[in-house]
Amino acid sequence: MLINKKMRCMFQKKQPFTHFQKLFFGLILMFLFLFLSFLLMDFCFPLRTKIEYSTIVMAKDSSILETYLSKDSKWRMKTELYEISPELRKTLIFKEDKYFYWHIGVNFMATGKAFVGNIWYWKKKSGASTITMQVVRMLERRKRTYFNKFIEIFRAFQLDFHYSKEEILQLYFNLIPYGGNVEGVKSAAWLFFQKKPTQLSLSQVVTLTLVPNRPNTWALGKKNKILFEAKNHWLKKMGNQKYFPEQDIEIALKEKLPEKKQKPNVIAPQFCRRMKNLFPEQDLIYTYLDKQKQEKIQQLTSNFAERAKLYNINQAAVLVINNQTHTIEAYIGSADFDNKKDEGQNDGVKAIRSPGSTLKPLIYALAIEKGLITPKTILDDVPTDFGGYIPENFNKKFVGQISVENALKMSLNIPAVKVLQLISPQILIEKLLLLRYKSVKKEEKKLGLSMALGGVGASLEELVNLYQTFANKGNFIPFIYQKKQKINEKRTILKQESTYLVGEILGNMQRDENTKNPLRVAWKTGTSLGRRDAWCIAYNPQYTVGVWVGNFSGEGANNLIGAEVATPLMKDIFKTLTYQQNNDWFEIPKNIKLRTICSETGLLPNIFCDNKIMDSYIPSISSIKKCEHLKEVWVDEAEKISFCHQCLPKKNAKKKLYANFSSEITSFLLEQKESFTLIPLHNPACTHLTHTREKPIILSPSPFKEYLIENENESELILSCRASPNTQKIHWYINDKFYKTTSPLVNVYFKPEIGNTKITCADDEGKKTEITIKVSKI
């Protein structure tokens, strides 16, 4: 019992803390208090590490295309973690902070040693700033006082608390000064050595870690003698400690320093400027531009422009798109960016110009998928007045009847306008809006049939996007400018079948003597009114290439024709792009079939059709109308008089087939003095015809329309009419003055005067029609 009582007393009695325990718990409480105080201070006074970097535009291989000053006018190019080479890291740590990976932002031993030394000598004898503390000093510029030193220490703790050692190193290499407005190792490497940090030699690495300590005393390119000695001093020091291989040290000791700061040549300046404007918040813009292709095509374009100057043609622009990735691989904004005389800083890829005939493939493709035409459908190419709009072919000549495929290959204007009239201009406008044509959106209400011949503004990139849509089987996919972008939009503009059929028409085999395989591309040229712009847009399964040639001033030139100046450059570019590549072509869509048609009209053959050929068509879409190129007519035995059902005699009459031409083609053939048999005049004794005969109707010009002419002495307008069948003569009057008498089947041409013009058309019975038009000069 006594023992138990003693034991209870012993356990109930409190054991006092030893001195060591008190000290230990005191330290824990102190550190806890300091840590909580640090967290509170960190919350109340956060460290700002936002840095304004220079914008860098990079090529597909991550090489630098162009750099721009930061918002505070510094060359401060962002160094990525992977760009900090082992040599750069080791050299910096050896020289500045050997215990960088061991301390928490402050080296207390070095700080204490420096503090004691400075107090003892009453002046600054040595520093103890770690790499972390130097980063703080570069982030927050302050006067060097003891009070600010304590702030610097606190900020160093914050930096080490929030960032990894590698991220702190990255901040250091992005902020170190090199004199003037140059900051960061990447900027210095690029401006002094024309290299990326990962490409620097050991000598260059040591040099770039030295200069920031004394940017004025050791100014690179200005104080090279002193800097060279300092560099070699540190190299020998590192060599003595076996920090780098002896052979590397020996090479570095002999390496000379650059004489001056020099910004490398800019590659694709207009493209880089555009990327900076498109992505203003990005410091590093990684694009898909192929540097080698860019330089080759730029050289081709510059050489071409030098030769073209002989013909008063000074500029050119080129855009190359990869059809598989939808990325820009080459972007030539002008032949020579530094040519201020010819406005070389302009961007010919973005400039809105008249596209000439380059929209014709889209017009024909829309008509094909609506079932209005097939490749061998016959169209009329004759002088035509489209309600006041009278287009001409480029060579001022007409061919009469021609197939769709030949009309597109020859780029004839009248057939294209007629096809646009068939599908309606509004359909074309809707498609161009889907393709993001800026000028169409602005001028939609003013646009009409002239769009087929360049009467709507377009840029080179818009045209390339259109032809890339053909290469992508009718799907419109916007360009991808940089690697962060993704394909987030896809619009179906055309059916695959129509794009294939048009591509087959435009496709040509280009022979190259230097390669075994011929080059096959589909291409279309264009020339704007006044020969101010020459175009050639081409594509194959791999690439779409757009070429514009002209003058930024808008001045025309006699030789500025798409087929003569833009096409040769396009061919040279395509040969460069596709050298030693396969010659794959587009697969035939399953829904395209072949059928027999009559060559006279391109329609299904009738019983009287003798000339039959094969044509591609789209089942359930293409027209199934039968050919009517011949017409059965009742005539007398002598074939001098024709009859209708009202006046058909009971005997002495027979059926005969006659050419069933339109009135426009009939007039054209008569003008050209082509040999063909006209349908005989109708029976003059026919009472039905006598009672129904009406006055002639003027078909051209159109009444109350304004006609624009270029030259008052050369421009002509068409006079044409529709008269009753038995009308043999038509009399034309201009401003009440007799002009000419002709057959109603033949067109007449006259040179109009500026102002209002009255036109009268009278038949041989005196029945007449009058209209008034207005003629103005362009």
Side-chain angles (χ1 to χ4, degrees), residues 75 86 150 210 222 225 279 345 356 550 609 726 747 751 775:
W75 289 113
F150 284 112
L210 282 173
K222 295 180 181 179
K225 186 177 180 181
F279 310 104
Q345 288 79 25
C609 296
N726 263 22
N747 290 339
K751 294 179 181 178
V775 179

Side-chain angles (χ1 to χ4, degrees), residues 169-296:
L169 273 180
Q170 184 184 13
L171 285 169
Y172 179 89
F173 282 121
N174 280 323
L175 292 168
I176 46 176
Y178 285 93
N181 66 340
V182 181
E183 290 186 7
V185 70
K186 190 170 185 174
S187 302
W190 185 243
L191 293 170
F192 289 109
F193 301 109
Q194 291 77 55
K195 292 181 179 180
K196 294 192 288 187
T198 52
Q199 299 170 330
L200 295 170
S201 66
L202 179 59
S203 172
Q204 293 165 346
V205 164
V206 174
T207 301
L208 292 184
T209 53
L210 282 173
V211 174
N213 295 131
R214 300 177 185 177
N216 294 323
T217 306
W218 291 340
L220 192 56
K222 295 180 181 179
K223 306 288 181 67
N224 277 10
K225 186 177 180 181
I226 303 172
L227 180 58
F228 185 80
E229 292 173 358
K231 177 203 74 166
N232 285 356
H233 166 75
W234 279 95
L235 280 168
K236 289 174 183 176
K237 198 171 182 180
M238 287 186 281
N240 293 336
Q241 297 188 26
K242 308 296 182 183
Y243 210 63
F244 291 108
E246 187 177 343
Q247 185 179 0
D248 293 350
I249 295 290
E250 288 178 6
I251 294 171
L253 286 168
K254 297 175 183 178
E255 190 172 327
K256 294 182 179 180
L257 300 176
E259 294 297 325
K260 60 180 180 179
K261 179 174 71 176
Q262 183 178 352
K263 188 182 176 187
N265 292 330
V266 180
I267 298 170
Q270 287 98 336
F271 174 76
C272 294
R273 182 175 64 197
R274 186 170 182 183
M275 293 304 100
K276 183 179 184 295
N277 294 334
L278 278 175
F279 310 104
E281 301 304 317
Q282 289 184 214
D283 305 318
L284 302 172
I285 304 173
Y286 292 90
T287 74
Y288 289 96
L289 199 84
D290 190 304
K291 190 174 179 180
Q292 287 186 335
K293 290 175 184 173
Q294 174 72 24
E295 290 177 329
K296 285 181 182 178

Side-chain angles (χ1 to χ4, degrees), residues 565-746:
V565 293
T567 301
L569 180 56
M570 176 278 293
K571 291 179 182 178
D572 289 341
I573 291 168
F574 245 111
K575 288 172 187 175
T576 300
L577 291 171
T578 58
Y579 183 71
Q580 290 184 337
Q581 288 192 10
N582 59 35
N583 231 344
D584 292 338
W585 195 243
F586 302 98
E587 292 183 5
I588 302 175
K590 294 179 181 179
N591 201 31
I592 287 183
K593 308 294 181 184
L594 286 174
R595 68 181 181 184
T596 303
I597 52 102
C598 174
S599 63
E600 302 292 336
T601 59
L603 300 174
L604 293 177
N606 216 318
I607 55 173
F608 47 72
C609 296
D610 297 323
N611 301 320
K612 299 173 186 177
I613 56 174
M614 301 302 292
D615 187 20
S616 300
Y617 77 108
I618 309 172
S620 303
I621 292 177
S622 298
S623 172
I624 57 172
K625 185 179 177 182
K626 284 201 170 185
C627 175
E628 296 178 351
H629 81 279
L630 294 179
K631 181 179 180 181
E632 199 171 54
V633 180
W634 284 100
V635 294
D636 64 354
E637 293 293 342
E639 300 178 5
K640 299 294 184 181
I641 298 174
S642 62
F643 304 104
C644 65
H645 289 290
Q646 300 292 329
C647 64
L648 181 64
K650 293 181 179 180
K651 58 181 181 178
N652 298 325
K654 62 179 182 179
K655 286 183 179 180
K656 186 178 179 181
L657 291 173
Y658 287 89
N660 189 21
F661 294 130
S662 65
S663 59
E664 292 89 350
I665 287 292
T666 301
S667 297
F668 177 78
L669 294 175
L670 289 172
E671 289 170 21
Q672 300 298 313
K673 297 181 180 179
E674 294 283 346
S675 176
F676 71 102
T677 305
L678 282 167
I679 297 174
L681 286 174
H682 196 71
N683 180 14
C686 179
T687 55
H688 177 73
L689 181 66
T690 305
H691 292 306
T692 57
R693 183 164 179 177
E694 298 176 350
K695 63 182 180 181
I697 297 173
I698 297 176
L699 300 176
S700 176
S702 299
F704 309 111
K705 294 287 185 179
E706 182 178 8
Y707 287 79
L708 302 177
I709 60 174
E710 289 187 68
N711 192 316
E712 194 173 351
N713 297 320
E714 295 181 6
S715 299
E716 292 184 327
L717 293 182
I718 307 168
L719 295 175
S720 68
C721 71
R722 182 172 69 243
S724 294
N726 263 22
T727 302
Q728 297 187 37
K729 297 292 181 182
I730 288 292
H731 311 284
W732 292 98
Y733 297 83
I734 308 296
N735 290 327
D736 294 327
K737 292 182 180 179
F738 174 73
Y739 180 66
K740 190 173 285 187
T741 296
T742 183
S743 164
L745 298 175
V746 177

Side-chain angles (χ1 to χ4, degrees), residues 153-164:
I153 290 171
F154 167 69
R155 291 298 195 194
F157 288 148
Q158 281 184 295
L159 198 61
D160 206 79
F161 181 73
H162 288 288
Y163 294 89
S164 69

Side-chain angles (χ1 to χ4, degrees), residues 287-503:
T287 74
Y288 289 96
L289 199 84
D290 190 304
K291 190 174 179 180
Q292 287 186 335
K293 290 175 184 173
Q294 174 72 24
E295 290 177 329
K296 285 181 182 178
I297 295 170
Q298 180 69 68
Q299 190 62 52
L300 284 172
T301 307
S302 298
N303 292 343
F304 164 82
E306 280 299 314
R307 297 192 300 270
K309 284 181 179 179
L310 295 171
Y311 307 104
N312 196 32
I313 302 170
N314 300 300
Q315 285 295 353
V318 178
L319 183 63
V320 177
I321 302 297
N322 186 313
N323 294 331
Q324 312 297 322
T325 61
H326 316 291
T327 56
I328 297 172
E329 293 202 357
Y331 188 113
I332 315 297
S334 64
D336 182 2
F337 184 81
D338 297 322
N339 183 354
K340 294 182 179 180
K341 178 185 174 184
D342 298 314
E343 304 171 85
Q345 288 79 25
N346 286 354
D347 190 346
V349 174
K350 289 174 61 180
I352 303 292
R353 320 282 294 193
S354 167
S357 298
T358 53
L359 294 182
K360 287 176 182 176
L362 176 58
I363 294 169
Y364 284 107
L366 290 170
I368 287 172
E369 64 184 39
K370 285 184 173 295
L372 299 173
I373 59 173
T374 58
K376 288 186 166 55
T377 299
I378 300 300
L379 302 172
D380 293 347
D381 178 42
V382 294
T384 309
D385 185 339
F386 296 94
Y389 176 50
I390 307 178
E392 293 180 310
N393 286 324
F394 185 77
N395 60 4
K396 311 290 185 182
K397 298 178 181 178
F398 303 92
V399 299
Q401 291 188 309
I402 190 168
S403 67
V404 164
E405 59 185 2
N406 286 329
L408 182 52
K409 284 179 181 178
M410 295 170 64
S411 195
L412 298 178
N413 291 340
I414 311 304
V417 176
K418 286 191 174 183
V419 172
L420 179 55
Q421 189 179 48
L422 280 174
I423 64 172
S424 89
Q426 188 57 39
I427 297 295
L428 179 60
I429 289 170
E430 290 170 4
K431 295 297 182 181
L432 294 177
L433 288 173
L434 288 173
L435 287 163
R436 297 180 176 177
Y437 275 54
K438 295 176 183 177
S439 62
V440 175
K441 192 172 183 179
K442 293 178 182 178
E443 302 174 6
E444 182 178 353
K445 295 180 180 178
K446 301 177 183 177
L447 300 175
L449 294 175
S450 64
M451 288 189 292
L453 310 182
V456 58
S459 65
L460 180 60
E461 66 176 324
E462 289 171 342
L463 292 173
V464 168
N465 229 335
L466 166 61
Y467 283 73
Q468 186 196 207
T469 299
F470 276 88
N472 289 324
K473 302 176 183 179
N475 295 311
F476 164 67
I477 301 172
F479 302 149
I480 297 175
Y481 294 106
Q482 59 155 335
K483 294 181 181 180
K484 289 184 179 180
Q485 272 183 282
K486 294 180 180 179
I487 297 175
N488 53 16
E489 183 181 358
K490 183 177 179 180
R491 299 177 183 175
T492 299
I493 305 296
L494 296 165
K495 289 184 171 65
Q496 181 183 354
E497 293 81 6
S498 62
T499 59
Y500 176 81
L501 291 174
V502 169

